[in-house]
Amino acid sequence: MATLRVAPKAEVAPMKAAQISKPGAEFEIVERQIPEPEAGQVRIKVKACGICHSDVLVKEGLWPGIEYPRVPGHEVAGVVDEVGAGVSTWKQGQRVGVGWHGGHDNTCRECRRGDFRNCRNVKISGFSYDGGYQQYMVAPLEALVPIPDALADVDAAPLLDAGITTYNALRNSGAMPGDLVAVQGIGGLGHLGIQFANKFGYHVATIGRGSGNAVLAKKLGAHVYIDSQATTAAQELQKLGGARVILATAPSSKAMSALIDGLGPNGKLVVIGTAPEPIEVTPAQLILGSKTIQGWAAGTPAASEDTLNFCVLTGVRPMIETYPLEKAAEAYARMLSGEAEFRVVLTM
Ligand SMILES: [Zn+2]
């Protein structure tokens, strides 16, 4: 059935967006028409958007199928500005977020079994369609996450990817309260992983390079700090009984490989940080003690909702640096430098 649609008016005020015109191009601030939501979509007035290391995949054209120009951004916090035809479950003015999981088809084998996270046709915000590096964006209903009043936009944004990834990886890891759980790396992911691990009641060990972050790690909730430069971290974990779970967040396959011998019986290395090199492990390392290595990607918007509510309940918050949208290139470079503490967030 054809739908009567009013064409966007020519006098609609343009908005600002930070786009990548082609793979490898620099960010450019452009003026665009404000997008119109279609049936099953809402328009979001973006308030804040986190810059994630995986935005490199969009900027450099390293993800298959991305159409350019593209506006990245999959850590979006804002308010519903307009709803598409037939949308009744979201209201104008309602606070809303969009994370990595940008939509699913509801029809594939995984969706029919309720495993939306692994949809065969999953959409990624800022990859499959324009994301949050702009003043307004359009998103499908199944990607939306309600934001609790107690969370500021700039705090909610990074929780919609870095937050949910660490929270969901840990809560699905099989670790129980009191178990030794190690968080490798104190960065954008790690500083959240340490906080969640503490609030989940684990015995938390943090593995970092050098002694510089020891005080911060303890402040975030680590019970033990292991300096991987001064000691052999795997041995230190064995002295504590062996880890039930090691959450590998730092993008170093070599560092991850070196930690496998720190796992205790039935221990699991959960990989959420990405690096191009292979992780190296011998069969014997896994067979003895029935150890596993598992990867984990974010989660559904429902799991993001759980993440935000848990953060309100427990006080977990990201540490952030904010930049205005106009300085997207500078903010992106800051993220890439690895010097940011710890998530870089654009404000509109
Ligand atoms: Zn599906």
Side-chain angles (χ1 to χ4, degrees):
M1 194 180 86
T3 316
L4 181 65
R5 294 212 36 228
V6 179
K9 282 178 277 195
E11 67 269 24
V12 169
M15 60 159 187
K16 285 195 172 67
Q19 73 174 25
I20 297 295
S21 62
K22 59 179 193 292
E26 296 304 317
F27 281 99
E28 52 185 11
I29 305 295
V30 295
E31 294 203 334
R32 287 186 173 193
Q33 292 300 111
I34 295 173
E36 293 294 325
E38 297 183 357
Q41 298 179 333
V42 302
R43 180 171 66 213
I44 300 166
K45 186 177 196 322
V46 180
K47 303 281 192 177
C49 183
I51 296 183
C52 180
H53 194 270
S54 50
D55 292 335
V56 170
L57 302 172
V58 180
K59 186 176 176 301
E60 303 302 333
L62 302 174
W63 192 270
I66 295 179
E67 291 171 14
Y68 293 84
R70 181 56 80 224
V71 176
H74 56 267
E75 296 186 348
V76 187
V79 296
V80 176
D81 178 63
E82 185 65 270
V83 301
V87 174
S88 59
T89 48
W90 295 85
K91 307 285 179 213
Q92 277 182 328
Q94 187 174 355
R95 297 182 70 212
V96 69
V98 178
W100 173 267
H101 186 104
H104 48 265
D105 64 6
N106 275 311
T107 57
C108 76
R109 179 189 154 88
E110 273 60 43
C111 282
R112 283 187 285 115
R113 284 158 178 75
D115 185 10
F116 305 114
R117 191 172 70 89
N118 288 312
C119 173
R120 301 285 173 112
N121 299 301
V122 72
K123 286 195 169 77
I124 304 168
S125 339
F127 288 56
S128 314
Y129 52 84
D130 286 332
Y133 288 26
Q134 55 182 344
Q135 291 176 307
Y136 294 87
M137 74 173 277
V138 163
L141 298 188
E142 77 269 13
L144 304 180
V145 181
I147 298 178
D149 288 343
L151 270 185
D153 293 312
V154 291
D155 288 337
L159 292 173
L160 292 161
D161 185 34
I164 184 197
T165 298
T166 47
Y167 172 84
N168 222 18
L170 284 172
R171 76 169 176 170
N172 287 289
S173 69
M176 301 290 278
D179 283 349
L180 180 65
V181 170
V183 178
Q184 172 242 6
I186 308 164
L189 290 166
H191 88 287
L192 288 163
I194 296 165
Q195 294 181 69
F196 287 127
N198 178 283
K199 299 297 183 189
F200 288 178
Y202 304 145
H203 180 189
V204 185
T206 296
I207 300 153
R209 292 169 61 208
S211 57
N213 275 328
V215 172
L216 175 62
K218 297 224 167 151
K219 197 174 142 210
L220 291 168
H223 302 105
V224 182
Y225 181 79
I226 297 171
D227 176 354
S228 66
Q229 288 179 325
T231 64
T232 303
Q235 284 175 9
E236 297 304 309
L237 290 174
Q238 288 300 344
K239 284 181 196 167
L240 297 166
R244 179 68 180 79
V245 164
I246 299 173
L247 185 68
T249 76
S252 165
S253 304
K254 199 174 164 207
M256 293 180 195
S257 304
L259 287 177
I260 293 169
D261 283 336
L263 292 170
N266 301 306
K268 187 190 282 186
L269 179 75
V270 180
V271 179
I272 59 173
T274 62
E277 303 79 23
I279 294 170
E280 289 187 2
V281 60
T282 65
Q285 279 178 289
L286 298 178
I287 291 168
L288 300 172
S290 304
K291 289 154 193 162
T292 50
I293 300 176
Q294 180 186 26
W296 191 273
T300 60
S304 284
E305 189 175 350
D306 292 346
T307 307
L308 299 187
N309 289 335
F310 186 85
C311 290
V312 170
L313 201 62
T314 59
V316 171
R317 293 291 186 278
M319 292 170 66
I320 57 169
E321 297 179 2
T322 61
Y323 287 79
L325 175 65
E326 290 74 12
K327 292 189 174 177
E330 189 182 324
Y332 177 84
R334 176 71 177 162
M335 177 282 297
L336 265 193
S337 76
E339 301 292 318
E341 290 188 342
F342 284 99
R343 299 298 286 191
V344 178
V345 180
L346 295 173
T347 54
M348 312 308 155

